[in-house]
Amino acid sequence: MSEIPAVSRRLVLGGTLATGAIAAGIGSAGGAAAAPAAAPAPAGAGTPRRAAGQKSMINVPFEPYATVRVGVIGLGNRGSGMTTGWSVVPGCTVTAVCDIRADRVKRTADGLVTNGKPRPAEFGGSAGSYAEMLERDDIDLVYIATPWEFHHEQGKAALLAGKHVIVELPIATELDELWDLVDTSERTRRNLMLAENCNYGRNELAMLKMAHEGLFGDITNGHGGYLHDLRALLFSSTYYTDSWRRLWHTRSTASFYAMHGLAPIAAAMDINRGDRMTTLKATATAPKGLADYRERFVPRSHPSWNETYVNGDLVSCAIETANGRTIRAEHDVSSPRPYSRINTLAGSRGIFEDYAGTSTTGGRIYVEPDHGGHSWRDFDTYRKEFDHWLWKKIGDDAANNGGHGGMDYVLQWRTIQLMRAGLVPDIDVYDSAAWCAPVPLSVMSLADKGRPVAVPDFTRGSWVNLRTGLDSRETDMPPVA
C-alpha cells in the first residue's frame, strides 16, 4: 500500500470545496461531487412548513449531563441485552425498565442487581405502562426496543415528556409519522436518534473515513442492505413475541429493514450534509421463501398455516441523490443465504466491498494508484490505517460488553459520551427519518408498478450545508465523579 502523503488525498482530490470543508473541520464524501454546484433544490412537494416558533434541530447539542439516566421500553431479546449494555457505560445508569410483560421487567431488574447495579424502577403489566414510566423525572434518555408498530407512538410520547430518545429500527413506518417525529423533536428541543448500530461497525466507520479522505475519488454509488435468513426465528414460537415480525410479512410489501446497509452508505455520501436522497423506486420478487419454509419444516398445527405472505422475498430500492449518486438498498430475510449487509462504496478511483473478501475483516478493496492488475486486495491494512478513533479508544471494551461484534457497545458508549460532554449527536432526527423513509416509500413505489417516488427533504433545505456527523473528532468521555 502506498504511503499516505502529509496532505490528505481528500484535499488533493476535492479542490477548493474540499479545502474549505477541511478548513472548517467538516466531512464530505470526496471530491467536488460532495456538494451541489448549482443552487439548492427546493424541498420536495408536500413538505410541510414549520409551525410558528418551531426551529431546526441541526447542530443542536445535548445539554451536559453528569450522569445519564436511561429508561428502557421493551425488554424482549434486543431490549434486555441492550439494557445490560447501557448499565456498563461509564456515567450511565438504568433508572427504569418497562415491558407489557411484568415477568420480563422483574427478570431484567434482577439481572442488573446481580451484576452489581442499582435496581431500576419497574413498570409492566399493561400497554400503558410506558406512559406511567415517562412521568418520572429521573430519566434523561429513553431507549425504545418494542415491535415496529409502537415506535412512533412511544417515541413521540417520550419527546413530549421532555426526554431525549433513541429508537430501534425503524423510528416509524409511515411518512406522516416520520414527519411527526421530526416536528415533535423540533418543538420539544429534544434529540431523537435511530439506534443504527451498524453505522458504528468497525468496517463501516473505516469506510466512511476512507471516503471522506478521498481514497475512492468522487463517490458515485453505493450498495447496502439487510440480507439475513430469519426463517427459523420468524416461525419460532418464542423468539418474536406474538410473532409480531412474521405478521408484518402478511400485511405489508415494504422494505422493512434496509437501514442496516443504507445508513452507512448514506453517511459516507454525506446525505443531509451536502447531498440528499431525491427519488426511490422499488422492485420485489414474489413472496416464496416463508411459505416454502413452512411447507417443509413447520407442523400443520402451527398458527402460521392461517397466514398468507405478501412481502416479497427480496425488496430492492434504487435511490438517486441530488448530486447524481445512486444507492441500491436491499432487504431479504426470507431466503436461504449467508448473512450480509453488502456495504459497498465506489467512486472514480476505487471500490470497497464488504462480506466478500477472504481476510479477517471480511472486506476487499481496489483503489488507484495503490492497486492494479484487476485484482482485489484484502482490507486488513486499510482498516488498520483508517480505523475510527472510537474503535481505537474503546475497541477492547466493545468486544467485552457489546453484541454484534462490539458495535452495540460503541453506539451506546458514544451516545452517553455525547450527552455527558454536551456535544451534537452523530445521528440526528433528520438522518433517522431519511434512513427510515424507504419503508413507506417502497410500498408507494411498488403500488405504482415500481415507478419513482419523491423522497421528502426532512431538513427543509438545510441538507446543502456540509457538517460533521459520524466523521467526528476524537473526544474523551468526561470523568465519572
Side-chain angles (χ1 to χ4, degrees):
M1 189 173 73
S2 61
E3 184 176 339
I4 296 295
V7 178
S8 76
R9 294 182 226 203
R10 179 182 178 189
L11 179 59
V12 173
L13 292 171
T16 56
L17 174 63
T19 303
I22 291 172
I26 294 174
S28 76
T47 300
R49 293 184 178 274
R50 285 191 175 97
Q54 187 174 315
K55 297 184 296 184
S56 172
M57 286 294 288
I58 288 177
N59 288 332
V60 174
F62 293 102
E63 62 275 32
Y65 294 86
T67 299
V68 177
R69 302 164 298 178
V70 174
V72 177
I73 304 175
L75 299 171
N77 294 293
R78 181 66 173 164
S80 59
M82 290 290 280
T83 299
T84 301
W86 293 115
S87 74
V88 298
V89 178
C92 180
T93 183
V94 177
T95 54
V97 291
C98 175
D99 192 279
I100 193 171
R101 287 166 170 75
D103 60 317
R104 290 180 176 176
V105 176
K106 183 179 185 304
R107 183 169 62 247
T108 302
D110 289 346
L112 290 174
V113 173
T114 299
N115 291 330
K117 305 300 180 182
R119 189 174 195 90
E122 300 171 42
F123 296 86
S126 74
S129 295
Y130 81 90
E132 183 183 356
M133 188 191 83
L134 292 178
E135 295 176 1
R136 296 181 66 91
D137 59 6
D138 60 351
I139 298 172
D140 308 306
L141 175 69
V142 173
Y143 167 69
I144 297 173
T146 52
W148 303 334
E149 52 263 43
F150 304 116
H151 289 183
H152 165 254
E153 172 191 330
Q154 293 168 347
K156 180 177 182 178
L159 291 171
L160 292 173
K163 324 298 186 187
H164 299 290
V165 189
I166 183 165
V167 190
E168 283 295 339
L169 289 62
I171 61 169
T173 61
E174 303 291 344
L175 279 183
D176 60 344
E177 294 176 347
L178 292 171
W179 274 114
D180 192 30
L181 290 176
V182 168
D183 289 338
T184 305
S185 175
E186 291 184 347
R187 288 196 302 270
T188 60
R189 315 309 294 163
R190 302 287 93 179
N191 282 305
L192 181 143
M193 303 155 284
L194 179 69
E196 183 41 84
N197 58 340
C198 293
N199 267 342
Y200 290 94
R202 198 161 202 160
N203 282 8
E204 284 85 347
L205 284 175
M207 178 187 73
L208 177 139
K209 282 194 65 180
M210 293 163 68
H212 288 181
E213 286 295 324
L215 196 75
F216 304 114
D218 288 339
I219 301 300
T220 58
N221 68 94
H223 182 191
Y226 185 68
L227 310 179
H228 189 183
D229 182 0
L230 293 179
R231 293 171 300 164
L233 295 179
L234 289 171
F235 285 101
S236 167
S237 299
T238 58
Y239 193 82
Y240 292 113
T241 304
D242 297 328
S243 302
W244 69 265
R245 190 160 179 170
R246 188 182 73 245
L247 292 176
W248 272 91
H249 289 258
T250 70
R251 61 177 182 250
S252 177
T253 60
S255 175
F256 294 134
Y257 212 76
M259 317 82 171
H260 268 345
L262 170 61
I265 298 301
M269 288 183 176
D270 280 326
I271 298 300
N272 289 343
R273 290 165 165 78
D275 199 358
R276 81 172 187 92
M277 300 185 292
T278 55
T279 62
L280 177 151
K281 54 185 177 181
T283 59
T285 64
K288 300 291 187 179
L290 294 185
D292 178 73
Y293 184 91
R294 180 180 62 186
E295 179 69 34
R296 291 184 291 147
F297 300 113
V298 179
R300 291 280 174 170
S301 58
H302 194 273
S304 65
W305 280 96
N306 296 318
E307 299 167 358
T308 300
Y309 304 111
V310 299
N311 189 261
D313 290 347
L314 175 65
V315 181
S316 299
C317 296
I319 301 168
E320 296 184 349
T321 80
N323 291 332
R325 301 185 179 105
T326 62
I327 305 171
R328 188 163 85 251
E330 299 188 343
H331 178 270
D332 184 350
V333 299
S334 306
S335 304
R337 60 185 309 156
Y339 180 88
S340 174
R341 296 195 300 275
I342 307 169
N343 198 31
T344 295
L345 193 70
S348 60
R349 298 193 179 183
I351 183 172
F352 166 71
E353 285 189 354
D354 212 344
Y355 300 92
T358 58
S359 76
T360 56
T361 66
R364 63 185 185 179
I365 189 170
Y366 185 90
V367 292
E368 296 175 340
D370 295 359
H371 305 144
H374 305 281
S375 298
W376 290 100
R377 305 302 200 277
D378 285 346
F379 185 52
D380 306 52
T381 306
Y382 285 87
R383 192 176 79 172
K384 182 179 293 185
E385 180 181 354
F386 291 94
D387 206 14
H388 195 278
W389 69 266
L390 278 166
W391 278 95
K392 292 179 181 179
K393 182 182 287 287
I394 62 169
D396 290 341
D397 286 342
N400 292 325
N401 291 312
H404 296 98
M407 62 188 178
D408 289 351
Y409 184 76
V410 177
L411 163 70
Q412 292 177 301
W413 189 97
R414 177 60 170 165
T415 301
I416 298 306
Q417 186 220 15
L418 289 165
M419 293 183 68
R420 295 189 64 222
L423 300 174
V424 175
D426 295 341
I427 299 169
D428 61 27
V429 69
Y430 309 104
D431 303 318
S432 305
W435 300 342
C436 296
V439 178
L441 293 178
S442 59
V443 175
M444 294 167 58
S445 177
L446 289 170
D448 198 21
K449 300 181 179 180
R451 291 185 176 89
V453 296
V455 179
D457 172 19
F458 295 101
T459 73
R460 294 177 167 103
S462 294
W463 64 270
V464 297
N465 300 314
L466 292 173
R467 56 194 175 93
T468 53
L470 289 146
D471 55 342
S472 53
R473 290 192 178 96
E474 181 174 356
T475 50
D476 293 324
M477 176 73 80
V480 177

